[in-house]
Amino acid sequence: MKIKKIILHKVEIPMVTSFTTAFGTITKKPTVIVKIEDEQGVIGYGESAALPFPYYKPETTDICMLVLKDYITPLVLNKDIKDVGELMNLLKPVKGNSFSKTGLETAVWMITSLTENKSLKEILGGTQNKIAVGESIGIKETKEETLEEVTLRLGQGFKRIKIKIKPGWDIDLVKAIREKFGDIDLMVDANSSYTLEDLEILKKFDEYSLTMMEQPLADDDIIDHSVLQKQIKTPICLDESIHNADDARRAISIGACKIINIKPGRVGGLLESKKIHDICQKNNVGVWCGGMLETGIGRAFNIATASLPNYLYPADMSPVNFFYKDDLVKDSFSVDKEGYIQIPTKPGLGFEVDDRKIEMYSTEKVVVE
Ligand code: OSB
Ligand code: MG
């Protein structure tokens, strides 16, 4: 294929609620939508779902706009691109910037899926027809508020509860949840807010049979995580520390984690997600699909990856209306009463993109052709 035209939109849909993690509060979540057109006139959409600030990873929404406009589009426009592998080779000169790359990469997957007339699941090699969903619950003002949200989501069928923790908002909350809800599938996500000096606190989690503890230590570390994993029973799951398949291989080889959270945005797209999945599968390390509060466009790609066989744990895939007042796709996915999302079988995203909504919420637009 040849990409003849690229339109970048910085889009901001008003949020229903803010989302607080150890690194800060997300009150606005602009995102970048990448729309491309090939020489046949086939259109693909992708999403670069970085955060507006560099508190999760260095790359921000504005950085995505800049890198896509000045460095990524010139590498791919009007080039002959055989497949996604070749696309990623063209992008090699750009170091890191995984969220930026993912916006374009996913748009190319969408065109590939439409052109081959096969669903994303099928072209990725997915084997699961539905995926289990968990909710990621942000840090709240009070313990009571958190317990209320857990009650609500368990009642709606969500399969697993993940609570965001930070020093001082951790063991007491886990204890209260265990006391009230018993043996539910429970995990915590620290977003890099502890260090090895907190070993005594981190060891205490062992008493609460958590399914996993996500990213307790630094976002760029695997060494300290391997030291920690040797001293605690709770399986460590890495999020921020894994940027690609080589990171996954190295982390597994030194015992830095027992589980990996794969977010297509964080690792540069679906192809890299699949590579990480494959390495983990070979090493008996289960994976699951994380999220970056994507709109229905980004979420659609996440859902497709989660159909691969080694996605063993529930995904962070709350419906888009938990966070936003509107969406960029017409009929987004829903979570059924048993806590599952059906994986689309249609070619393309599996959901109809609402171009009018993209224009309506667009705050910045760049056209490259
Ligand atoms: O660490 O998994 C995370 C959201 C923004 C940034 C980081 C994280 C998250 C989530 C929400 O936990 C997951 C989602 O539903 O998209
Ligand atoms: Mg996380």
Side-chain angles (χ1 to χ4, degrees):
M1 71 180 276
K2 260 191 192 150
I3 303 173
K4 306 295 284 186
K5 186 174 182 180
I6 303 177
I7 303 177
L8 309 172
H9 276 283
K10 185 175 162 188
V11 173
E12 190 177 330
I13 307 174
M15 292 184 84
V16 177
T17 172
S18 60
F19 186 74
T20 300
T21 72
F23 58 69
T25 300
I26 302 168
T27 51
K28 291 154 140 284
K29 175 68 169 67
T31 193
V32 176
I33 300 299
V34 180
K35 178 179 178 182
I36 63 175
E37 189 177 330
D38 75 1
E39 77 278 26
Q40 325 266 13
V42 183
I43 291 191
Y45 295 89
E47 180 168 353
S48 293
L51 298 186
F53 42 57
Y55 307 156
Y56 166 77
K57 289 268 96 185
E59 203 181 0
T60 67
T61 323
D62 288 330
I63 291 174
C64 290
M65 280 299 274
L66 175 99
V67 169
L68 276 159
K69 173 167 68 73
D70 291 351
Y71 301 101
I72 289 184
T73 58
L75 293 175
V76 300
L77 200 68
N78 289 317
K79 297 271 165 64
D80 267 313
I81 300 170
K82 188 168 83 254
D83 53 24
V84 177
E86 198 171 343
L87 173 84
M88 296 318 279
N89 277 337
L90 290 175
L91 299 188
K92 276 239 167 88
V94 177
K95 302 283 191 294
N97 288 288
S98 303
F99 286 105
S100 305
K101 290 174 183 170
T102 300
L104 178 72
E105 199 248 20
T106 46
V108 170
W109 275 104
M110 179 171 167
I111 290 188
T112 309
S113 171
L114 289 169
T115 308
E116 293 186 14
N117 200 29
K118 288 180 187 154
S119 69
L120 282 170
K121 173 191 150 179
E122 206 182 337
I123 53 176
L124 281 166
T127 53
Q128 313 193 60
N129 297 327
K130 57 180 189 180
I131 57 166
V133 179
E135 140 134 294
S136 173
I137 300 183
I139 295 170
K140 311 269 185 207
E141 292 282 318
T142 64
K143 221 190 290 181
E144 290 67 36
E145 257 181 274
T146 308
L147 295 175
E148 259 172 50
E149 185 154 342
V150 176
T151 307
L152 174 70
R153 298 313 177 201
L154 291 175
Q156 291 171 332
F158 282 73
K159 290 267 191 231
R160 172 275 275 151
I161 296 295
K162 154 169 150 182
I163 54 162
K164 292 287 192 180
I165 56 164
K166 64 177 182 182
W169 180 264
D170 44 30
I171 295 290
D172 287 353
L173 182 64
V174 168
K175 184 163 178 278
I177 293 175
R178 273 284 178 248
E179 277 168 6
K180 181 154 184 190
F181 303 99
D183 192 24
I184 61 165
D185 184 348
L186 181 65
M187 62 173 286
V188 293
D189 185 0
N191 284 111
S192 304
S193 55
Y194 296 82
T195 70
L196 282 178
E197 307 226 317
D198 301 309
L199 186 60
E200 287 317 306
I201 304 171
L202 295 169
K203 271 185 178 166
K204 280 197 198 141
F205 285 103
D206 281 352
E207 292 166 36
Y208 298 96
S209 342
L210 301 176
T211 313
M212 66 190 90
M213 175 193 290
E214 189 176 337
Q215 197 73 34
L217 309 177
D219 70 293
D220 56 355
D221 166 79
I222 56 172
I223 306 292
D224 285 356
H225 280 99
S226 90
V227 171
L228 176 62
Q229 184 66 90
K230 288 177 183 68
Q231 304 194 55
I232 63 173
K233 282 195 291 225
T234 310
I236 292 176
C237 166
L238 291 177
D239 171 351
E240 283 91 325
S241 296
I242 305 297
H243 311 93
N244 51 53
D246 283 328
D247 281 351
R249 174 180 54 76
R250 291 186 280 250
I252 293 168
S253 78
I254 62 168
C257 64
K258 294 184 177 161
I259 298 169
I260 289 179
N261 163 343
I262 306 180
K263 295 177 180 175
R266 191 195 69 234
V267 305
L270 310 191
L271 189 62
E272 200 64 30
S273 296
K274 188 168 157 55
K275 286 184 186 166
I276 297 174
H277 163 276
D278 294 349
I279 282 185
C280 288
Q281 188 175 36
K282 238 184 249 155
N283 289 281
N284 286 315
V285 168
V287 308
W288 56 282
C289 181
M292 289 299 295
L293 309 181
E294 292 88 351
T295 70
I297 293 178
R299 290 288 214 218
F301 294 105
N302 294 358
I303 290 170
T305 60
S307 68
L308 289 164
N310 192 41
Y311 278 75
L312 304 181
Y313 306 91
D316 275 351
M317 200 76 70
S318 303
V320 174
N321 66 10
F322 280 23
F323 301 110
Y324 301 102
K325 294 194 175 146
D326 206 348
D327 198 1
L328 306 177
V329 302
K330 278 177 186 157
D331 277 301
S332 188
F333 65 90
S334 54
V335 179
D336 71 21
K337 288 196 219 50
E338 269 76 54
Y340 289 99
I341 294 172
Q342 295 297 323
I343 305 208
T345 51
K346 277 187 266 175
L349 267 194
F351 306 97
E352 195 190 335
V353 175
D354 193 340
D355 227 26
R356 205 177 46 93
K357 292 284 172 69
I358 297 177
E359 294 283 348
M360 186 172 140
Y361 294 112
S362 174
T363 59
E364 214 179 304
K365 179 177 180 179
V366 176
V367 181
V368 190
E369 57 192 323

